[in-house]
Amino acid sequence: MSSNNPETKYFLLKKSKVKDLLNTLYKEFEIFVPVEEEGMVNFKRYKLNNNFNMEFTNTLLPPKGLFLPQQETLFTINYKKEELIEENLETSRRIIFGIRPCDSRSLTILDEVFKEKSEDVYYLQKRNNTLLIGLGCSNPQIYCFCSSLEVDPGKDSSVDIFLTDLGEKYLVTANTKEGQQLIKDLPVYFEKAGEEEITRALEIQSQAREGFSVGFAKKDTEIFRDVEIIFEHPIWEELAETCLGCGICTYLCSTCHCFDIADELAKNEGRRFRCWDSCQFFSFTNMTSGHNPRPNRKERIRQRFLHKLSYFVSRYGSIACVGCGRCLRNCPVDIDITRVIGAINHE
Amino acid sequence: MKNQTYIELTDTLKQKINQLLNEKVVDYVIGYEKGSLWFKTRPFMIRKQTEVEKVIWNRFCQFNLSTFLKPISQRGEKIGIVAKKCDLKSIVELIKNNQVKKENLYIIQVACDGVLNWQKLENFSGIPVSKVIEIEENALNLVIKTSESSIEVLKSDCLLDKCLVCDFQHSTYADDFISISDENNHEIRNQTIPYFESLEDVDYEGRLEFWLKHFSRCLRCYACRNVCPACFCPTCMFDSQEGLWISKESKTPENYVYHLTRAFHTATLCVECGECERVCPVNIPLMKLNKKLAKEVKDAFGYQAGLQVDELSPFKTFCQEDTDEFK
Amino acid sequence: MEIVAFCCQWCSYAGADLAGTSRLKYPANIRIIKIPCSSRINPTFILKALSKGVDGVMVAGCHPGDCHYSNGNYFTRRRLTVLKRLIEFCGINPERLQLYWISAAEGGKFAESVKDIISRLEKIQDKPFPKNSGSSL
Ligand code: SF4
Ligand code: SF4
Ligand code: SF4
Ligand code: SF4
Ligand code: SF4
Ligand code: FES
């Protein structure tokens, strides 16, 4: 997270130099780059001269895991010595190289949650230590609908440095002081951009906004403000008939952030950790008494949608969805948030 | 995607469903409707005649609908179900294991010429699904058209693995068989796919490494379990509130326990429909486990799941003379 | 070496007792867990033990034909035959899983069985599941 600086500057970075750049940055930063493995692209820790794949559409798993890992130890207790050992907070400086606009937007959404009232140091430490180098989308995928959520796929000013693909090279935009500093420190990689390249990049950026296959109109989300009406809508029953109650849509979602906290004991040691949890699981709301306020898939699937479209909006002012399309791509039964919004408004 | 056969089949299927609802033979029918994207379909519970129009039958109807016959999703009504040949096998298992009563079912088998896997389609044609505007079919190939070009790929390259060994025959368990001609003119694409064979020459450490690498990716989203028609326990032991068998953390050894248990618990019930592997978001080769177990069960007890309703599962019976390698 | 033994309460558990009271010597590496019948074994028990890095698991039940519940052990025999193939396929030497038939009167056989599994495990080269890599649960 960095302070915004209105004064942006344009540079050029040759694609052929990206590896050298990463190798240089590697000395100071822990870098995460998109890497293709087993037919999936995901952010992986960069090691010297590693291969990476910048021609990816988007990563299968959202980058939220780099800030809110699927599991993370909070502290351990040694019974014998009667001491509590706090988990060391991440202190290494990190870079995410190639984060897409929808996903960087998801981080600002998560920030709201982890900063509210008490600050979540585990999350925030990682967030504050991380520089984001964003990558614009010139070719939105068939399941993307970020533009319905006011995310601009072509242009992202929330990241420290933003890259626009010009074919052989990237147009580099520094959005923050930290981003500018990084560029300033490494002049061998960044040349000044000419007028012509800037114009071409702006064109590419604006083109990205076209060509979406799915989506919804902004006003269609207004109906969710009135929870009273929407709560008993028949669509939840309908969705529950086919929803499998798996964890795909929440685990793969860039903005879902629910976690469970548990303690585990070993011989002389106790450990408290947190790990992802999903509102789609029965156990999510099951109480010790055996009572479960969300006993059926209907209540659970409704929770997923209403949390994103109603509750989050009234609490933080924005929809907890960035249109990355991961849920749509991966749901085994093709439950599609854009269709749900459309159906509630127009059927 | 245009295919005359499928269009005609869809029409006949719609008529059939209409008739079933109209004559109140069933309370609802589980079928397919169009998905959000052209290469997707979604399961669809048809309750009203006005909904019948939405029914489709095409080359992307991959979902094994029989999973909705698990008691957890039933409401004690009479159900009609659209089934492919392969889905029939899991219906047989569900009936056999008292999860659904045959008299509460009306099974509509639809002629199937293989289901396409969109990821294979992308891989073999090199064309992302977002660029495709039309697919045509000829005898052996798919012609994939974009606004600029058209590419032919072998049909069998893009089918689901299971379709390559399917015999497409009419099953005697179906109440209805919707097909265009009575003749079966499909050639069996008897291609054998190496599932577990590749691991057979690897030593134990290599195998462990192979599986740990895959299991380390598992998110424990439990989609592979929830989608499986053979996973029908009312409460899965991994959801049990009485005992935590594995940690909530998705650590590799925990995942190892989960996966081997899942595979073992479905052994003798698994009909190799491939749904678990298809839905896994992180591409874990679960079918290797299932196929291996199916083979071991066949070798040891001569049993194959999903074939006969009146055949007893080998784990539910025994012979005093069973081979005893333990003594 | 660490071995977990799941012993049926009607036979092998009593057999282990007898081995103890008869002062028969057997290696001390085993941890016995009492179960109501060998067929109580859920594969998860075995897998969990193996995934924690124990060197071997032995399951012991009544002799075929003598199960307190008539035929539980026949089912066990079928299941473990297949389970052995599964763990073998997933990288655990199948020798690490043994099933023995031991009656309550066979204190000697119990001691022999423990020795047997240990000598089998001593012969194998490959490593067990990495220790302590999982949760402490
Ligand atoms: S991914 Fe689909 S099936 Fe799974 S819980 Fe989400 S909506 Fe339901
Ligand atoms: S709800 Fe779906 S599209 Fe929206 S952020 Fe989550 S995964 Fe992405
Ligand atoms: S309640 Fe559900 S939708 Fe909301 S953040 Fe948690 S898991 Fe995601
Ligand atoms: S579907 Fe895949 S990721 Fe999810 S629990 Fe199963 S194997 Fe793990
Ligand atoms: S284990 Fe997989 S292949 Fe077997 S029946 Fe279940 S979903 Fe189908
Ligand atoms: S009672 Fe001993 S094995 Fe069944």
Side-chain angles (χ1 to χ4, degrees), chain B residues 169-188:
Chain B
Q169 301 286 343
H170 176 202
S171 162
T172 44
Y173 295 109
D175 296 282
D176 243 311
F177 183 46
I178 297 198
S179 69
I180 294 200
S181 66
D182 286 339
E183 278 165 57
N184 173 19
N185 48 11
H186 309 286
E187 91 277 20
I188 300 172

Side-chain angles (χ1 to χ4, degrees), chain B residues 195-196 199-200 204-205 207-208 211-212 237-238 244-247 249 251-254 256-257 260-261 263-265 267 288-289 292-293 296-297 300-301 313-327, chain C residues 40 42-45 47-48 50-52 64-65 71 74-94 97-101 109 120 125-130 133-137:
Chain B
Y195 276 104
F196 46 82
L199 270 177
E200 229 98 278
Y204 296 130
E205 279 173 43
R207 291 182 197 177
L208 189 60
W211 285 111
L212 294 186
M237 70 179 294
F238 296 114
L244 264 183
W245 288 106
I246 50 175
S247 168
E249 283 182 302
K251 283 199 167 171
T252 313
E254 317 287 310
Y256 189 92
V257 176
L260 269 65
T261 304
F264 189 83
H265 280 181
K288 279 195 182 7
L289 295 172
K292 173 71 183 171
L293 279 168
E296 292 304 333
V297 167
F301 314 112
S313 143
F315 280 168
K316 291 199 176 153
T317 179
F318 62 88
C319 279
Q320 293 184 347
E321 296 74 34
D322 279 340
T323 46
D324 193 337
E325 57 179 277
F326 305 106
K327 281 181 295 293
Chain C
R40 171 63 183 94
N42 183 317
T44 310
F45 300 176
L47 294 169
K48 190 157 173 156
L50 291 170
S51 80
K52 295 235 158 270
N71 39 31
Y74 288 119
F75 292 103
T76 312
R77 184 165 71 186
R78 284 198 156 193
R79 292 180 200 143
L80 293 206
T81 306
V82 177
L83 184 63
K84 249 187 137 164
R85 298 285 89 79
L86 178 64
I87 60 169
E88 177 178 28
F89 181 61
C90 294
I92 294 179
N93 192 319
L97 171 59
Q98 296 298 334
L99 175 62
Y100 298 97
W101 309 124
K109 184 160 184 206
R120 283 165 188 263
Q125 304 294 319
D126 45 80
K127 291 189 211 62
F129 209 96
S133 52
S135 80
S136 43
L137 198 72

